[in-house]
């Protein structure tokens, strides 16, 4: 006994679970958004995700089975259900009057529809409205119950089990408003080369992150990150470049707050406020969707390999604000301001008088799989050089870019970048970038020109679902006229062992380490990532 092309099992079962789907609009406000951009030091989410689709098709009550244009009446059971729905409004459908299905309804699905009408009539009787229910309808329901008794019993057993499991989850859940997620990285790495690099030893390092995501309204996200690790860089062995994605913080295995911020929509704007450790990648599209994986544990191995170094300018700061604005579907404007010593009230410091970085970007999406971005960054440094700040953080770039004036501490930079990304297919994506930075010494008359460019190839689901192959080639930031081109070649393969564990071996080649005419260096890495 079948009703043809009568689909959407959930709509039929929902009334059994007490789900109010008849007139409610379902949207992004019903879930905590999850981060979609990426970064040099990964973030839990991005404001860009808040700009995504904000509503799904709403449900509305259907008063006649004949309104469901996809349904073909074939037997008495259909006629009986039609009569009940017309009288009592038992079943909900989409506003266009269809269930958007193209197959026959199983006996279990039909039984769920019958059960919905049973529940509706029981509600009327319990409310003292038994006169609204005819004896003929009760007889029809009794016949339907008898014919579908086995299916109804099975469905009710499943619902009882589901309710028990739901009650157990609610009683033991971490929080009703906060989601906890974690990532643990174990990595074995070594650097090979001449000079000081030859004295380097193999290391076994770890990094642990706990992210707390809280939504107060449904379309906002308050995030706190606790981080611990011992993943130091190879800088002490003479290799300043090729920093790995998990080398951002050596806490001696003590937990520290590594991210603290709030993301929320305000009209046509998505607003980003960070009270600790702001990152451009939190809200600015970096156009490296496969290699820059947000967490730093599943994409490229190096900070340079993730995305353009222009997003590494001014990250050693204390607080920041930013926004995204999409005036047209294919155009997004992004902007932000990060302050280095925002909490320091002494002269020459504070939110607006100390070192800072400001960035603006225009992102254009002319086609579904194609994006371009034009980026400008302006930064002011009060302590540039050894022991102080760097133009590009996380050991991205040569030692000369860190201190282009041999001790000139005051400097201002104007950096211009262009980025592009193209998903050629679901199995092959490409991204590219280039940047030029003009650096002016403020406590002297010197200046410097810094260049960088790169190309990334990503192969999602390579040799299996969830896997990722990647290759990056480019030049890390180097000072034109002073440095040799800082060649960077990187290859890796992430094997997704299961939903929670991935294994990523890879190799990074660094030409002319430090920007000098030195022997090349090679970094070997085996990264294991646990997510929960």
């Amino acid at each position: 006994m079948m009703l043809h092309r009568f689909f959407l099992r959930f709509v039929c079962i929902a009334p059994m679970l007490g789900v109010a789907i008849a007139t409610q609009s379902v949207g992004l406000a019903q879930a905590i958004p999850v981060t979609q951009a990426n970064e040099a030091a990964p973030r839990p989410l991005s404001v860009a995700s808040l700009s995504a689709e904000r509503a799904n098709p709403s449900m509305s009550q259907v008063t006649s089975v004949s309104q469901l244009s996809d349904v073909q009446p074939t037997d008495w059971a259909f006629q009986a259900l039609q009569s009940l729905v017309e009288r009592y409004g038992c079943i909900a459908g989409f506003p266009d009057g269809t269930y958007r299905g193209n197959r026959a309804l199983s006996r279990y699905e039909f039984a769920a529809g019958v059960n919905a009408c049973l529940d509706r009539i029981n509600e009327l009787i319990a409310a003292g409205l038994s006169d609204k229910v005819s004896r003929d309808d009760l007889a029809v329901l009794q016949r339907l119950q008898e014919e579908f008794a086995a299916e109804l019993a099975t469905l009710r057993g499943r619902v009882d089990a589901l309710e028990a499991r739901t009650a157990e989850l609610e009683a033991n859940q971490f929080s009703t408003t906060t989601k906890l997620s974690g990532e643990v990285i174990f990595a074995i790495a070594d650097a090979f080369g001449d000079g000081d690099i030859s004295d380097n030893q193999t290391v076994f390092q770890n990094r642990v992150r706990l992210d707390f995501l809280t939504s107060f309204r449904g379309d906002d996200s308050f995030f706190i990150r606790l981080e611990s690790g011992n993943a130091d860089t190879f800088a002490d062995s003479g290799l300043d470049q090729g920093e790995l994605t998990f080398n951002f913080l050596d806490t001696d295995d003590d937990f520290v707050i590594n991210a603290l911020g709030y993301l929320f929509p305000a009209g046509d704007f998505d607003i980003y406020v960070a009270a600790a450790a702001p990152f451009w990648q939190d809200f600015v599209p970096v156009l490296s969707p496969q290699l820059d994986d947000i967490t730093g544990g599943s994409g490229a191995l190096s900070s340079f390999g993730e995305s353009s170094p222009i997003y590494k300018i001014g990250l050693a700061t204390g607080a920041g604000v930013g926004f995204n604005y999409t005036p047209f579907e294919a155009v997004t404007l992004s902007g932000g301001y990060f302050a280095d010593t925002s909490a320091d009230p002494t002269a020459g410091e504070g939110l607006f008088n100390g070192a800072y970085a400001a960035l603006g970007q225009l992102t254009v999406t002319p086609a579904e799989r194609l994006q371009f971005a034009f980026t400008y960054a302006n930064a002011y440094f009060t302590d540039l050089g050894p022991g102080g700040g760097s133009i590009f953080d996380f050991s991205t770039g040569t030692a000369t870019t860190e201190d282009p004036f041999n001790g000139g501490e005051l400097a201002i930079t104007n950096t211009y970048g262009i980025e592009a990304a193209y998903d050629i297919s679901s199995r092959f994506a490409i991204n590219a970038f280039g940047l030029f930075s003009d650096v002016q010494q403020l406590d002297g008359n010197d200046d410097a020109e810094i260049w960088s460019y790169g190309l990334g190839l990503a192969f999602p689901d390579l040799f299996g679902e969830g896997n990722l192959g990647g290759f990056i080639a480019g030049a890390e930031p180097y000072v034109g006229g002073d440095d040799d081109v800082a060649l960077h070649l990187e290859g890796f393969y992430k094997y997704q062992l299961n939903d929670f564990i991935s294994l990523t071996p890879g190799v990074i080649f660094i030409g002319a380490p430090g920007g000098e005419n030195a022997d090349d260096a090679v970094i070997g890495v085996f990264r294991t990532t646990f997510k929960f």
Side-chain angles (χ1 to χ4, degrees):
M1 191 91 46
M2 306 292 287
L3 296 180
H4 294 286
R5 304 181 64 196
F6 187 75
F7 187 51
L8 206 60
R9 178 185 306 177
F10 174 74
V11 177
C12 294
I13 298 177
M16 301 168 58
L17 304 178
V19 181
I21 60 175
T23 59
Q24 183 178 3
S25 176
V26 181
L28 185 64
Q30 293 176 309
I32 296 177
V34 179
T35 330
Q36 146 52 84
N38 268 328
E39 59 246 327
R43 316 312 303 166
L45 71 167
S46 72
V47 176
S49 66
L50 300 178
S51 302
E53 188 70 29
R54 294 185 179 274
N56 294 325
S58 61
M59 303 292 290
S60 64
Q61 190 70 28
V62 174
T63 59
S64 172
V65 173
S66 62
Q67 287 181 250
L68 304 173
S69 57
D70 287 342
V71 178
Q72 300 297 322
T74 59
D75 50 45
W76 79 269
F78 174 85
Q79 300 294 333
L81 185 60
Q82 179 185 41
S83 178
L84 293 173
V85 170
E86 289 175 347
R87 287 177 173 80
Y88 306 107
C90 309
I91 302 174
F94 284 96
D96 62 0
T98 73
Y99 274 96
R100 299 178 183 175
N102 56 4
R103 63 174 179 82
L105 183 72
S106 72
R107 290 180 63 85
Y108 287 106
E109 291 168 326
F110 182 78
V114 172
N115 194 81
C117 287
L118 282 169
D119 289 344
R120 175 57 180 160
I121 290 176
N122 284 332
E123 289 174 2
L124 293 174
I125 294 174
L129 301 174
S130 57
D131 58 321
K132 302 292 184 181
V133 182
S134 69
R135 292 183 178 273
D136 291 339
D137 290 340
L138 291 176
V140 168
L141 272 175
Q142 183 177 359
R143 183 181 176 188
L144 289 172
Q145 279 185 282
E146 292 173 354
E147 182 154 344
F148 292 89
E151 290 81 5
L152 287 169
T154 301
L155 284 174
R156 286 167 181 165
R158 291 176 179 176
V159 171
D160 290 342
L162 179 60
E163 289 178 345
R165 293 182 61 186
T166 301
E168 181 181 359
L169 289 174
E170 290 178 347
N172 296 281
Q173 64 182 332
F174 173 75
S175 170
T176 58
T177 59
T178 301
K179 178 182 178 181
L180 170 64
S181 61
E183 180 185 79
V184 179
I185 293 177
F186 292 164
I188 297 176
D190 204 345
F192 306 92
D194 293 332
D196 293 338
I197 300 175
S198 64
D199 297 329
N200 182 74
Q201 304 298 309
T202 301
V203 293
F204 182 32
Q205 300 175 324
N206 74 81
R207 190 196 69 188
V208 180
R209 283 179 167 172
L210 298 176
D211 291 325
F212 300 84
L213 298 179
T214 301
S215 179
F216 303 105
R217 307 184 312 179
D219 58 354
D220 62 338
S221 292
F222 177 77
F223 61 89
I224 301 174
R225 166 172 287 163
L226 300 180
E227 181 171 273
S228 174
N230 64 359
D232 206 351
T233 71
F234 291 113
D236 291 340
S237 65
L239 183 58
D240 292 326
Q241 295 163 240
E243 181 167 326
L244 303 172
T245 58
F246 50 85
N247 285 152
F248 299 120
L249 192 64
D250 181 4
T251 69
D252 292 326
D253 291 322
D254 294 329
F255 274 98
V256 299
I257 294 179
N258 187 239
L260 176 61
Y262 185 48
L263 306 101
F264 61 96
D268 294 332
F269 289 82
D270 290 321
I271 307 300
Y272 166 81
V273 180
F279 287 85
W280 302 118
Q281 292 87 341
D282 281 343
F283 63 98
V284 179
V286 299
L287 275 62
S288 182
Q290 299 293 339
L291 301 177
D292 203 344
D293 75 318
I294 300 175
T295 69
S298 302
L301 290 169
S302 71
S303 176
F304 174 80
E306 286 186 313
S307 53
S308 171
I310 200 169
Y311 305 114
K312 314 300 191 291
I313 297 176
L315 298 189
T317 53
V321 295
F323 72 88
N324 274 351
Y325 172 58
T326 305
F328 311 104
E329 183 177 358
V331 176
T332 298
L333 298 175
S334 307
Y337 173 87
F338 293 174
D340 188 11
T341 55
S342 61
D344 188 345
T346 59
E349 304 295 346
L351 184 61
F352 299 109
N353 293 318
Y356 71 85
L359 183 143
Q361 179 168 300
L362 171 65
T363 305
V364 181
T365 308
E368 182 179 358
R369 296 183 175 183
L370 179 64
Q371 283 188 302
F372 295 97
F374 305 91
T375 311
Y376 168 73
N378 173 262
Y380 169 63
F381 299 89
T382 59
D383 191 19
L384 193 62
S390 299
I391 297 175
F392 303 94
D393 291 305
F394 306 121
S395 297
T396 302
T398 66
T400 314
T401 62
E402 179 182 346
D403 184 22
F405 307 125
N406 294 320
E409 295 183 345
L410 297 177
I412 190 167
T413 66
N414 291 282
T415 307
Y416 310 87
I418 183 170
E419 301 83 33
Y422 180 39
D423 290 340
I424 298 175
S425 71
S426 61
R427 299 294 184 94
F428 180 37
I430 183 171
N431 72 283
F433 66 83
L435 71 81
F436 166 75
S437 183
D438 179 48
V439 188
Q440 297 291 328
Q441 184 183 25
L442 299 181
D443 49 354
N445 298 316
D446 206 354
D447 64 357
E449 295 181 348
I450 297 177
W451 302 84
S452 181
Y453 42 86
L455 173 70
L457 306 178
F459 304 90
D461 298 329
L462 183 63
F463 305 129
E465 184 177 357
N467 299 338
L468 176 66
F471 177 76
I472 300 101
E476 296 200 24
Y478 66 95
V479 178
D482 293 335
D483 289 334
D484 292 335
V485 175
L487 181 63
H488 179 114
L489 301 176
E490 176 178 340
F492 68 90
Y493 179 72
K494 184 197 73 170
Y495 174 67
Q496 195 67 41
L497 187 63
N498 55 42
D499 291 341
F500 308 102
I501 305 174
S502 63
L503 309 175
T504 310
V507 176
I508 302 171
F509 172 86
I510 305 295
E516 301 173 352
N517 187 18
D519 292 330
D520 302 329
V522 175
I523 302 173
V525 187
F526 190 94
R527 180 183 67 195
T528 302
T529 304
F530 306 84
K531 291 179 180 289
F532 56 91

